[in-house]
Amino acid sequence: MIELALNKLQKYYGANMVLEDVTFDIQTSEKVGVVGENGCGKSTLLKILMGIEEHESGTISIKKNSTLGYLEQMPVYPEGYKVIDVLNTAFEKIDRLQKEMELIEKQLTEANEANMEKLLDSYSKVQTNYESLGGYEKEEKLSKVCVGLKIDEEFKNKLFTELSGGEKTTVILGKILLQNPDILLLDEPSNHLDLETMEWLEAYLKEYKGIVIIVSHDRYFLDNVVTKIIEIEDMKAKSYDGNYTAFVNEKDRQLKLQMEAFLDQQKKIKAIEKSIAQLREWGKNGDNTKFFKRAASMEKMLNKLERVNKPVMERQNININVNTGERSGDNVVIVKELYKSYDEKVLFNKADLLVRNKERVALIGANGCGKSTLIKILLGNLEADKGTASLGSSIKLGYLPQNVVFEAEDKTILETFREDIVITEGKAREYLARYMFFGEMVFKKIGALSGGERSRLKLAILMYKEVNLLILDEPTNHLDIASREELEEFLKDFEGTLLFVSHDRYFINNIANRVVELEGGILNSYNGNYEYYKEKIAQLKSGVEVKIIPKEENKIAKTKKEKVSNNTKPNNEFKKLKLEEKIEELEEKLKGIEEEINKFCDDYEKLDALYKEKVDLQKQLEELMEEYFS
């Protein structure tokens, strides 16, 4: 059943059109992701649905009596309101009904027989309403949401006005979830959440009974939650069934089909145009009006032809240049017995970590666990209480902070870029265009830049200078999906070492070859991407070792079966069996090395030796595999 429908919605800001033709419908319990480039009108669309902003034309149809909840709203609460008071505002209707029930209960104790039936009837109606709103599950719901969003007793008693922006967003998200609206509108809900909380929210939204509409650049989140994607592009909306990955595949397929149709039509148009020109030439040379009439008829037909638009296969995105500096030393980041605390909170307790040259390490952990603190110590902006956290030899560092700040806010983009770089204005503008600073935009003041524009400019400055170590703190925070993908492509080609803090699991999966989790003051290392980390954590929690059989082992097992059935030559079979034994032996050794690496992640000297042994064993294994399959 369709519960929400938009038809030909248009929106202007002054004389500028923002949305031209937004048409789609959403059915009962659908989970919908809204995607598109920054500034395409996604957030504006949610505000129009919520009634915060007007629209010029088109219609919005919402099922009668449907309630809406909107994350982006930041209501003002009375002075002295604590977090728990804000959360409890979600139960205003329930609390009113409860007071009404209590009042009727009191009246029942004093009522005579004449009023008793009337009061009981009123009580029954109020109680039914109270039950339908979930009044009896109020405490259970509150507990579930607070646990999921990590709102503990201490946090509940904090004043709402004293919270950070991210903390306020988390509280308002909790309040909206407790209100349980029929249509839930979420604008970047995962922005201020750590990985554990994001996964809880994903599970919660998947089971949510109402409609959920999510504006998000988090591809992993969209893959896990939504069943439909609405893309806003060129001020129009187009719907795709499935999650984000299904949308990408389907859009790519449709673009290819459109390109084929366009090229085919262009071929036919050129043939018709050639025929028209030829007919006119014949008519002119033979002084025959019939040829001119046929040419005019064909031209009329051509003008009526519905043209297939040429699809835009690649949109303008940042085009980062790969400019890696000279090779650094083998040991790039060295953390040894690091201890750091703030008052009674211990962030690092004899933590150890070694990051080697060309590794791509994702640093993850709960909000406030100390990830940014570690980066500050590495950069020399903060001192450790005990132990060391330092960079190795021959390091040329590039650092992209979470929130980019420039010293002179009144300078232009061009002036800021050229501040410490010797480059002509023309070359500088040509270079900045790769980062989507086109034409007159290079004269825009720094103070007027958005978060995404600041990150792009900082990245442009960093990458002009040759670096061999990149430290990135939440690099995808202000980037749209297309820019995230461009950044990923650049980082794949970057030949230096990469250490980055991120909550973007899609990004971690694409870039990291090692995940380091900061938990309980210790740095735990997992040699793989985010999926590998999740799998290892699940194994540790269950206490069951799940063996992953490499493709090579599957090939060997298959070959063994084929050997038996095909009755190959005895000598060849004996040789193969011997090779299999050696391969299995090396794989067991490699497995042991992996376990040792995870075990000794706090001893960088031991870790160094283990890595060298691992590389040597992998080389031997590759040689044996080549011999086996030759």
Side-chain angles (χ1 to χ4, degrees):
M1 178 183 173
I2 295 172
E3 294 195 17
L4 172 65
L6 277 70
N7 187 38
K8 297 190 177 299
L9 192 82
Q10 281 192 354
K11 169 68 181 174
Y12 283 86
Y13 280 126
N16 297 319
M17 183 183 279
V18 182
L19 299 171
E20 181 184 6
D21 179 8
V22 176
T23 301
F24 61 81
D25 59 65
I26 299 174
Q27 305 212 18
T28 306
S29 298
E30 270 196 309
K31 312 295 182 283
V32 179
V34 182
V35 301
E37 294 178 356
N38 282 341
C40 72
K42 303 184 297 295
S43 297
T44 300
L45 178 60
L46 293 194
K47 288 173 183 174
I48 292 170
L49 289 173
M50 198 63 198
I52 298 168
E53 293 204 11
E54 300 294 327
H55 60 283
E56 276 62 43
S57 63
T59 59
I60 300 173
S61 304
I62 300 175
K63 185 183 172 185
K64 194 177 179 182
N65 297 324
S66 291
T67 54
L68 283 80
Y70 179 46
L71 174 60
E72 189 58 31
Q73 282 180 306
M74 198 61 71
V76 177
Y77 292 99
E79 200 69 36
Y81 251 52
K82 295 178 181 177
V83 168
I84 188 62
D85 299 323
V86 173
L87 292 172
N88 277 329
T89 59
F91 301 118
E92 284 174 346
K93 286 184 181 177
I94 288 173
D95 290 341
R96 263 200 313 273
L97 290 169
Q98 188 173 0
K99 285 177 182 175
E100 203 173 328
M101 282 165 63
E102 287 170 359
L103 179 64
I104 297 172
E105 283 169 4
K106 188 179 178 182
Q107 289 173 343
L108 280 167
T109 59
E110 301 166 357
N112 54 36
E113 284 185 24
N115 293 332
M116 185 70 72
E117 192 174 334
K118 188 180 177 182
L119 285 170
L120 284 171
D121 186 52
S122 297
Y123 187 84
S124 177
K125 286 176 182 176
V126 175
Q127 189 181 40
T128 301
N129 200 2
Y130 179 81
E131 191 174 352
S132 68
L133 289 173
Y136 292 113
E137 295 88 40
K138 172 185 167 181
E139 292 304 321
E140 185 186 336
K141 282 167 68 180
L142 180 63
S143 175
K144 183 181 177 182
V145 168
C146 286
V147 169
L149 294 176
K150 297 183 179 177
I151 301 173
D152 58 19
E153 289 303 316
E154 184 184 348
F155 190 70
K156 283 179 190 175
N157 288 303
K158 285 185 177 180
L159 288 172
F160 185 76
T161 51
E162 293 176 3
L163 300 180
S164 67
E167 288 173 329
K168 282 181 179 178
T169 302
T170 302
V171 174
I172 298 304
L173 174 60
K175 189 197 96 167
I176 293 167
L177 294 178
L178 289 169
Q179 283 175 327
N180 203 39
D182 300 311
I183 301 171
L184 186 57
L185 308 174
L186 303 176
D187 198 344
E188 293 290 354
S190 61
N191 258 9
H192 300 285
L193 306 179
D194 58 33
L195 294 174
E196 188 182 348
T197 311
M198 270 194 269
E199 289 181 351
W200 173 84
L201 181 60
E202 284 169 0
Y204 190 95
L205 293 177
K206 279 193 277 191
E207 298 300 318
Y208 195 79
K209 290 178 182 177
I211 287 172
V212 182
I213 303 175
I214 306 164
V215 168
S216 181
H217 295 310
D218 189 329
R219 295 157 291 175
Y220 200 99
F221 190 86
L222 292 171
D223 263 351
N224 280 349
V225 176
V226 308
T227 53
K228 178 191 280 187
I229 292 286
I230 294 170
E231 184 185 32
I232 308 292
E233 187 175 68
D234 299 329
M235 297 183 288
K236 296 176 182 178
K238 190 171 182 181
S239 298
Y240 299 82
D241 289 330
N243 62 10
Y244 177 78
T245 299
F247 148 72
V248 170
N249 293 335
E250 179 58 20
K251 186 182 179 183
D252 185 54
R253 188 187 72 84
Q254 288 183 17
L255 282 173
K256 284 175 182 173
L257 287 174
Q258 189 181 340
M259 180 58 85
E260 286 172 14
F262 170 78
L263 293 172
D264 186 54
Q265 191 183 64
Q266 288 299 304
K267 194 176 177 181
K268 288 174 183 175
I269 288 168
K270 283 177 183 176
I272 294 168
E273 285 173 343
K274 189 178 178 181
S275 296
I276 292 168
Q278 203 168 46
L279 285 166
R280 281 178 176 158
E281 186 67 27
W282 289 343
K284 187 180 176 183
N285 293 338
D287 195 23
N288 191 331
T289 57
K290 285 182 180 179
F291 288 120
F292 284 111
K293 284 179 180 178
R294 266 188 79 189
S297 177
M298 287 179 77
E299 192 167 42
K300 194 175 180 181
M301 179 191 74
L302 192 62
N303 290 335
K304 286 182 178 179
L305 184 70
E306 190 175 336
R307 304 287 176 119
V308 176
N309 293 324
K310 184 180 180 181
V312 181
M313 301 301 282
E314 288 188 15
R315 300 263 165 182
Q316 279 186 328
N317 298 313
I318 55 175
N319 181 17
I320 305 169
N321 65 311
V322 181
N323 210 14
T324 309
E326 294 176 4
R327 191 186 187 281
S328 68
D330 286 339
N331 299 336
V332 179
V333 175
I334 307 141
V335 178
K336 198 166 185 183
E337 295 194 344
L338 181 67
Y339 185 90
K340 180 70 182 175
S341 66
Y342 286 103
D343 298 324
E344 294 180 2
K345 187 174 183 180
V346 176
L347 296 180
F348 298 96
N349 188 10
K350 292 188 176 180
D352 292 84
L353 175 67
L354 174 67
V355 177
R356 294 176 62 79
N357 181 43
K358 296 193 177 182
E359 277 198 296
R360 298 160 181 275
V361 180
L363 180 60
I364 66 172
N367 286 342
C369 70
K371 301 184 297 292
S372 295
T373 300
L374 177 60
I375 288 175
K376 286 175 185 175
I377 295 171
L378 285 170
L379 295 174
N381 297 332
L382 199 64
E383 286 188 10
D385 296 339
K386 292 176 188 175
T388 58
S390 59
L391 303 178
S393 59
S394 305
I395 299 295
K396 290 185 178 178
L397 172 68
Y399 170 56
L400 182 69
Q402 192 172 152
N403 297 303
V404 178
V405 177
F406 293 99
E407 285 184 14
E409 294 280 304
D410 59 333
K411 284 190 176 182
T412 66
I413 290 171
L414 186 61
E415 287 169 338
T416 304
F417 177 73
R418 296 179 69 195
E419 202 165 27
D420 298 316
I421 295 170
V422 179
I423 187 173
T424 65
E425 182 178 321
K427 288 288 182 185
R429 292 183 71 169
E430 184 183 317
Y431 180 85
L432 285 167
R434 296 180 187 177
Y435 293 80
M436 296 176 67
F437 297 114
F438 304 109
E440 297 302 303
M441 193 181 178
V442 297
F443 300 112
K444 191 175 179 179
K445 299 284 186 184
I446 296 296
L449 298 184
S450 67
E453 288 169 335
R454 286 171 179 266
S455 292
R456 289 209 314 270
L457 178 56
K458 183 68 176 178
L459 203 55
I461 294 167
L462 286 179
M463 297 322 303
Y464 190 83
K465 302 170 182 178
E466 295 182 350
V467 298
N468 54 28
L469 169 62
L470 269 176
I471 295 180
L472 312 175
D473 193 354
E474 296 289 357
T476 61
N477 256 11
H478 304 290
L479 301 179
D480 58 27
I481 289 173
S483 296
R484 289 178 189 210
E485 288 170 352
E486 183 64 39
L487 179 60
E488 285 166 5
E489 289 306 308
F490 153 70
L491 291 175
K492 285 174 187 175
D493 292 334
F494 180 65
E495 293 181 359
T497 307
L498 183 62
L499 174 65
F500 64 96
V501 174
S502 183
H503 289 140
D504 188 335
R505 294 157 293 173
Y506 207 98
F507 183 79
I508 296 170
N509 268 341
N510 276 345
I511 301 302
N513 56 23
R514 184 174 164 203
V515 172
V516 173
E517 183 183 31
L518 174 54
E519 185 181 30
I522 302 297
L523 292 161
N524 300 308
S525 186
Y526 302 87
N527 291 303
N529 62 9
Y530 184 75
E531 290 303 319
Y532 176 83
Y533 155 78
K534 268 182 69 179
E535 191 173 295
K536 294 303 287 184
I537 290 294
Q539 288 176 14
L540 290 170
K541 284 181 179 177
S542 66
V544 177
E545 181 69 24
V546 179
K547 186 178 179 182
I548 307 159
I549 301 172
K551 288 178 183 176
E552 290 79 6
E553 287 187 26
N554 284 332
K555 285 179 184 176
I556 292 168
K558 188 179 176 184
T559 308
K560 278 181 180 178
K561 289 177 184 177
E562 286 172 355
K563 282 207 305 282
V564 173
S565 60
N566 294 338
N567 194 20
T568 54
K569 290 179 182 180
N571 286 344
N572 188 43
E573 188 175 341
F574 179 75
K575 185 183 175 183
K576 291 271 185 182
L577 285 169
K578 282 292 180 186
L579 282 171
E580 284 171 21
E581 286 174 11
K582 287 180 182 177
I583 287 167
E584 285 172 6
E585 188 181 329
L586 280 177
E587 284 172 342
E588 281 300 313
K589 282 184 180 179
L590 272 170
K591 185 183 172 185
I593 290 286
E594 290 286 350
E595 289 171 358
E596 290 284 292
I597 286 170
N598 286 326
K599 185 179 175 183
F600 290 99
C601 60
D602 57 346
D603 185 342
Y604 83 95
E605 288 176 0
K606 177 75 173 172
L607 205 57
D608 191 22
L610 286 168
Y611 268 110
K612 286 175 182 174
E613 191 178 346
K614 180 184 173 183
V615 170
D616 184 51
L617 286 172
Q618 283 175 330
K619 189 178 177 183
Q620 290 178 46
L621 183 61
E622 283 170 16
E623 289 170 358
L624 286 173
M625 293 300 292
E626 280 180 26
E627 189 180 348
Y628 187 89
F629 291 108
S630 62

